[in-house]
Amino acid sequence: MSLTSHSAVVRRLIVSPGPAPQEQAPVVASAAAVSAVLRAFGRSPEDLPARTVVLIGSAEVGPGLRAEHEGFGVLTTATPGLALRRAHHELHVGTADLALVAGFGEPDAHTITVYAVKRAAEAVADGDAVLGLLDVTAPHGPEATPALRPLHQNPRGTDPDRHRLILWSGRNADDEARVRGELLPMLSGIHREAYPALPTAVPCGTPPGPVRGAAVAVSALAARTVHQARAVDVSRPRPVVLLFPGQGSQHAGMAAGLYRREPVFTAAVDAALSHMGEEGSRVRADWLDPKRAAIGIDDVRRAQPLLFAIDYALGKMILSWGVRPTAFLGHSAGELVAATFAGVVSLSDAVAMVQARVREAVKIPAGGMLAVAASEEQLHPYLTDGVGIAAVNANQQVMLAGSRGPLADVADRLRADGLTVVTVPATSPFHSPAMAPASDAIETDYRDIPLREPKLPLYSGYTGTLMSAEAARSPRFWADQITDTVYFRNALDELLAADDVLLVEAGPRQTLTAFARRHRSVRLGAGAVSPLLPARAGTPEADRQSVLNAAARIWTEGHDLDLNAIARLWTWCDEDATAAAGTTAPHLPAKTLVA
């Protein structure tokens, strides 16, 4: 079931803004009542999305109510039903990310029923408790309150030959050995059809102990894999930090093995692509059927929008496991994904920023990027007016970027001098002076986007340090990212100097994992890194197996996981949607980009 055209009610409560019931007059839509609505769910207005709209459903509106209240837009309609329908409209035309609907006189004349309404795909991706989907098409008249339909989002696909995760723990080493000893006969004797239904973690019903083990296996190898697994004492877990890669990490079919096989990932991809309009449908079609792709994956028109959606969806999936990252770090275009999770920008606005980057990038003459096994200082003599330092990723890993002709000349000189040079999959000269005209145009677009101070620590590859509030709110800072050098090494240095952490790369190809493994902190074992996806393109099952291995790593680091959420990786499958995507989804011709 596609959720992108639906709106979900995620909270609903009754507010009584007046005095005791015996003294109450019928409530009137006033400025004070709107303030009560904004605080109805125990959150200050600063904690609400920047694009929050308040919709009033009331036959009587007080004279002091304005079209803007406490920084948020206020829209009035005659009935709660009209207000809910208007909320659905505002969400899906992109003018709101959250709608607070106040039904005055519901359920009686002295109260207000307040609904929090979101786009359904984003509600699922955010892990909200969906009370129901608004049925705005039911033939009950436009003024009637729309019915709430249940969200049917639990298709089952328990394939006994798929990999699954088995977790166990004990209070100490002896207790762990006892639990494992009881688990092994169960795995040896179980029928393969029952294997997916085994509990995810044992012992059941008790808090996990500090000595833990984990195994990822198919049914035939489960007992052997559990027997060979190493137990780990996790009494001092390291915090989790998410890494998001940028262009150059993409490959055909990346993470496609999770789509329609994991509900939060699926909803998050759909949510991100839905904000791209018709272009999002074309991006999805090319992603899921790369052999018939209208535009190649390395073209900026595919790489950046799809990488954003994949990185974002992977991050949402990790959060759905109950993991709470303490910081974020993105590389190049991945910094915009990190900023979305840190609260700097909403999903819809982040997608608009990606689209602006792409729209302007395609106007720049073709170019590319090179990865060179050398230091930044070694490469300075090779730079020309058309070629610059694009990224400093590690002590001996630097990227160059520039227009096609000058970059090819530099590559020839580097190889002639014995340096190792690898062409990065990119068709635009990002992080080079050639992108300056695009940067100026992008800044104009970004001025209309609400940018906020990070709510969580966000390390920037452009400053090499924690992102400041001033930088986060600056359209110029974000526009300059397509021309400025990425100092990923510096940002990683500062992050790992602040704390010993477990880095989890939420993206394809393990590019950032390779950089992090070279870092002294990781080599000495103070910090650690775990990729989420395979290093290269493979089978859909390889995607799921790699994700399960990452979940096992987080568990054996000492972080507790939402076991029901984890189990969906081998028990959930949207079979109807998969069949539809494979047989009836239209393959639309490509356009440059939706304006």
Side-chain angles (χ1 to χ4, degrees):
M1 171 184 178
S2 174
L3 297 174
T4 54
S5 61
H6 293 274
S7 295
V9 174
V10 297
R11 296 286 299 276
R12 180 175 56 182
L13 53 80
I14 297 174
V15 177
S16 181
Q22 61 269 23
E23 304 172 16
Q24 284 183 343
V27 291
V28 176
S30 63
V34 173
S35 292
V37 169
L38 287 170
R39 290 161 180 79
F41 300 111
R43 300 164 66 183
S44 68
E46 291 76 18
D47 294 328
L48 298 173
R51 296 190 189 278
T52 294
V53 63
V54 180
L55 291 114
I56 304 298
S58 176
E60 185 177 355
V61 177
L65 186 60
R66 302 285 184 260
E68 183 175 299
H69 185 79
E70 298 189 39
F72 297 104
V74 178
L75 302 173
T76 59
T77 64
T79 68
L82 287 173
L84 286 166
R85 286 176 168 79
R86 181 66 182 270
H88 173 79
H89 173 77
E90 297 292 328
L91 289 167
H92 289 278
V93 298
T95 53
D97 293 315
L98 173 68
L100 297 179
V101 178
F104 282 76
E106 282 192 343
D108 58 57
H110 311 295
T111 56
I112 311 167
T113 297
V114 182
Y115 306 79
V117 188
K118 298 173 67 173
R119 288 174 284 262
E122 288 167 40
V124 172
D126 291 341
D128 292 315
V130 176
L131 302 181
L133 305 180
L134 286 176
D135 187 355
V136 296
T137 63
H140 298 309
E143 296 189 3
T145 299
L148 286 185
R149 304 301 183 195
L151 171 63
H152 297 294
Q153 185 70 7
N154 192 33
R156 308 288 287 185
T158 52
D159 182 350
D161 296 319
R162 286 169 62 183
H163 286 81
R164 60 155 292 169
L165 183 60
I166 303 169
L167 308 173
W168 66 94
S169 66
R171 296 183 300 273
N172 50 47
D174 290 341
D175 192 37
E176 182 276 330
R178 177 190 62 80
V179 172
R180 193 192 309 224
E182 295 174 355
L183 178 60
L184 287 171
M186 185 190 312
L187 295 173
S188 299
I190 194 170
H191 191 278
R192 58 184 289 273
E193 295 289 342
Y195 179 64
L198 277 176
T200 305
V202 292
C204 300
T206 60
V211 180
R212 299 186 177 188
V216 176
V218 295
S219 58
L221 301 176
R224 182 193 307 175
T225 307
V226 168
H227 176 72
Q228 295 175 345
R230 183 172 64 92
V232 181
D233 189 324
V234 298
S235 54
R236 295 186 63 190
R238 287 168 288 203
V240 171
V241 173
L242 293 188
L243 306 178
F244 298 102
Q247 185 157 352
S249 298
Q250 76 280 352
H251 62 76
M254 55 183 174
L258 302 175
Y259 192 69
R260 304 300 186 194
R261 294 285 185 166
E262 206 290 329
V264 170
F265 177 87
T266 302
V269 168
D270 286 346
L273 294 181
S274 70
H275 288 295
M276 301 178 193
E278 292 183 4
E279 183 68 6
S281 299
R282 287 185 278 269
V283 170
R284 182 191 290 104
D286 285 358
W287 171 46
L288 296 178
D289 191 1
K291 291 183 179 179
R292 297 176 59 222
I295 297 177
I297 186 61
D298 296 334
D299 189 298
V300 65
R301 293 171 292 170
R302 287 294 173 267
Q304 295 222 358
L306 186 55
L307 268 172
F308 179 91
I310 297 298
D311 286 5
Y312 173 77
L314 291 171
K316 283 294 184 182
M317 182 180 66
I318 293 173
L319 266 59
S320 77
W321 299 346
V323 177
R324 294 295 171 258
T326 59
F328 304 94
L329 169 59
H331 187 290
S332 185
E335 187 156 310
L336 193 51
V337 184
T340 306
F341 281 97
V344 174
V345 65
S346 71
L347 172 63
S348 59
D349 288 329
V351 170
M353 294 170 77
V354 172
Q355 288 186 295
R357 287 172 63 133
V358 175
R359 185 169 57 245
E360 298 304 325
V362 297
K363 300 175 184 178
I364 303 298
M369 308 177 83
L370 303 172
V372 187
S375 68
E376 183 180 6
E377 293 73 21
Q378 286 176 278
L379 294 179
H380 280 149
Y382 296 90
L383 303 182
T384 67
D385 290 340
V387 176
I389 300 286
V392 180
N393 297 319
N395 289 333
Q396 291 293 313
Q397 210 287 343
V398 174
M399 292 171 62
L400 303 180
S403 301
R404 184 173 292 169
L407 191 66
D409 293 340
V410 170
D412 290 341
R413 290 169 55 201
L414 290 167
R415 292 187 176 103
D417 290 343
L419 292 172
T420 300
V421 180
V422 176
T423 300
V424 176
T427 59
S428 298
F430 280 102
H431 312 300
S432 78
M435 297 298 293
S439 176
D440 293 337
I442 287 170
E443 183 186 10
T444 301
D445 290 333
Y446 287 4
R447 288 175 186 160
D448 295 330
I449 290 178
L451 298 168
R452 291 182 167 185
E453 178 180 354
K455 295 179 181 178
L456 292 169
L458 173 60
Y459 287 82
S460 172
Y462 296 93
T463 63
T465 185
L466 273 171
M467 187 180 294
S468 67
E470 293 74 20
R473 294 194 297 259
S474 168
R476 184 74 251 175
F477 171 79
W478 293 101
D480 281 344
Q481 290 194 357
I482 66 170
T483 59
D484 288 356
T485 301
V486 178
Y487 288 99
F488 182 80
R489 179 192 63 189
N490 297 16
L492 191 62
D493 283 346
E494 180 152 330
L495 191 163
L496 292 173
D499 200 357
D500 296 336
V501 299
L502 172 64
L503 304 165
V504 178
E505 182 177 3
R509 209 186 280 280
Q510 303 185 9
T511 305
L512 303 187
T513 298
F515 299 153
R517 283 174 175 159
R518 301 180 191 180
H519 196 279
R520 186 172 185 271
S521 172
V522 176
R523 286 189 286 106
L524 294 177
V529 61
S530 177
L532 204 60
L533 289 175
R536 58 188 61 86
T539 64
E541 185 65 10
D543 286 342
R544 294 188 286 271
Q545 184 180 2
S546 184
V547 168
L548 289 170
N549 284 330
R553 180 69 182 83
I554 294 170
W555 165 266
T556 55
E557 183 65 37
H559 296 280
D560 295 339
L561 300 173
D562 183 325
L563 302 180
N564 290 328
I566 290 289
R568 293 190 298 240
L569 280 160
W570 63 88
T571 62
W572 190 90
C573 179
D574 193 348
E575 297 287 3
D576 292 340
T578 303
T583 60
T584 62
H587 193 81
L588 301 173
K591 293 183 180 178
T592 302
L593 199 74
V594 175

